[in-house]
Amino acid sequence: MVMATVQTTAAASPAVPGVLTPESVNDAGLTTPVKAGDKGAAVLRAQILLDRARFSPGEIDGAYGSNLHRAIAGFQASHGLEVSGNMDAPTWTALDSDSAPALISVTLSAEDVAGPFRSLPSGMPAQAKLDALGYVSSLEALGERFHASPTLLRQLNPGKDFGRAGEQLMVPGVQATSPMAAVAKVVVDKSDSTVSLLDEAGRVVAQYPASTGSEHDPLPLGDWKIKGVGKHPVFHYNPKLFWDAKAKDAKATLAAGPNNPVGVVWIDLSKDHYGIHGTPEPSKIGKTQSHGCIRMTNWSAQEVSEAVKPGMIATLQE
């Protein structure tokens, strides 16, 4: 738990594109076009504001990638803007209605750095021997809390000790500024690797990147029902269900934790063995394949789990 949060203020002078300082990233006048291949302050500002608008760019890293493209395009479509996947002037105007600082200051508490933190062995049989699959470091835990890559947190906080209580850090301000609209349906789209939440009128009110199956384990297309939500699930490993399992592997049960193979939440679907869930590897979401289920970052899966209800339809489409 963060002991204190202090919001930063916008810079009095123009920001310098590409420089990741609180002054540059929090500058509401920073409306530089953002397109494929770009990095820096404008990209980071766009990622944070989109995250708060519930059009998630996945792991926030200050670089334009495929997940940011999807987030921008989804936001543009939802707001009646020209869909390009690039940050243009109308898109900045719509996003900048959120005037809260993009980067904020936090002070680490004793609880934040207490752990326990420990390295994890590779392979499910070895991980099944552990009594918990928690974070490997306070830096990893902070990355999940603020939806950011550890590399970005280091870049924003040169020379800072992420394991010291009392340390002040600059982090993305990812707390949403408005409540989630009522959700009526979930749509998982294989074509753009997204999970979308729709209201009664069919408008997309939230969109998240996802990994949606593979050639070996294709996404089960069709309409399925959400059966329920399991928080902090254990994972029952059955090698017969995994095409890439090792011949010597046996059934195993892996303890709960953010580094569990299904992350911190499991949203059960009416299709046997299939669900929407978290992952211990947020940087790979939307960029690698899955074993048929719908994988999201832990924070996105948690947000979806709080918006859905048993009996709600989840449409899985190409």
Side-chain angles (χ1 to χ4, degrees):
M1 179 177 181
V2 174
M3 289 283 289
T5 300
V6 180
Q7 294 185 334
T8 61
T9 57
S13 57
V16 179
V19 178
L20 297 185
T21 64
E23 292 77 18
S24 63
V25 179
N26 287 343
D27 183 3
L30 180 60
T31 56
T32 304
V34 171
K35 59 189 184 306
D38 287 348
K39 296 181 179 180
V43 177
L44 180 54
R45 179 174 176 80
Q47 287 180 317
I48 296 169
L49 296 184
L50 284 162
D51 187 284
R52 286 210 298 249
R54 297 190 176 90
F55 285 81
S56 171
E59 188 178 61
I60 296 171
D61 59 5
Y64 185 112
S66 57
N67 284 338
L68 179 55
H69 176 89
R70 297 179 186 117
I72 297 171
F75 179 85
Q76 289 169 330
S78 178
H79 289 73
L81 302 171
E82 180 181 354
V83 178
S84 65
N86 298 327
M87 287 296 300
D88 53 23
T91 307
W92 275 120
T93 297
L95 269 181
D96 279 331
S97 62
D98 175 355
S99 59
L103 288 180
I104 59 174
S105 174
V106 299
T107 302
L108 296 183
S109 69
E111 183 181 353
D112 291 330
V113 300
F117 304 116
R118 61 182 177 185
S119 60
L120 298 176
S122 61
M124 293 193 188
Q127 291 182 7
K129 297 177 181 178
L130 302 179
D131 59 2
L133 293 171
Y135 294 115
V136 301
S137 67
S138 58
L139 178 60
E140 183 187 39
L142 290 165
E144 291 243 330
R145 181 183 303 164
F146 298 109
H147 308 177
S149 74
T151 298
L152 175 70
L153 291 180
R154 290 193 188 97
Q155 187 177 1
L156 291 172
N157 299 281
K160 294 298 182 75
D161 183 353
F162 294 92
R164 185 183 73 83
E167 189 77 278
Q168 288 190 324
L169 304 175
M170 296 306 304
V171 298
V174 292
Q175 183 66 42
T177 56
S178 61
M180 170 84 78
V183 172
K185 183 180 180 179
V186 179
V187 174
V188 179
D189 197 321
K190 179 181 176 181
S191 69
D192 64 359
S193 300
T194 59
V195 171
S196 296
L197 303 182
L198 281 61
D199 65 13
E200 285 284 359
R203 183 177 71 93
V204 176
V205 298
Q207 177 187 292
Y208 311 88
S211 295
T212 58
S214 68
E215 179 181 351
H216 294 278
D217 299 292
L219 187 71
L221 304 178
D223 288 342
W224 307 97
K225 287 186 177 180
I226 292 173
K227 295 173 64 178
V229 172
K231 301 289 182 70
H232 309 293
V234 298
F235 178 70
H236 300 286
Y237 175 55
N238 183 352
K240 291 183 179 180
L241 300 177
F242 289 77
W243 65 268
D244 55 351
K246 296 187 170 99
K248 64 180 180 180
D249 283 358
K251 289 183 179 180
T253 299
L254 279 69
N259 274 307
N260 179 290
V262 294
V264 299
V265 66
W266 172 272
I267 303 169
D268 199 28
L269 298 179
S270 54
K271 172 72 171 175
D272 287 346
H273 308 299
Y274 284 84
I276 303 170
H277 63 84
T279 180
E281 299 178 298
S283 64
K284 295 183 178 181
I285 291 302
K287 301 174 184 178
T288 60
Q289 297 179 329
S290 74
H291 285 92
C293 287
I294 300 99
R295 287 191 294 136
M296 309 174 72
T297 64
N298 276 333
W299 56 87
S300 293
Q302 180 68 38
E303 191 163 291
V304 171
S305 76
E306 294 170 355
V308 301
K309 297 178 180 178
M312 187 177 288
I313 295 296
T315 297
L316 279 53
Q317 64 188 31
E318 291 188 289

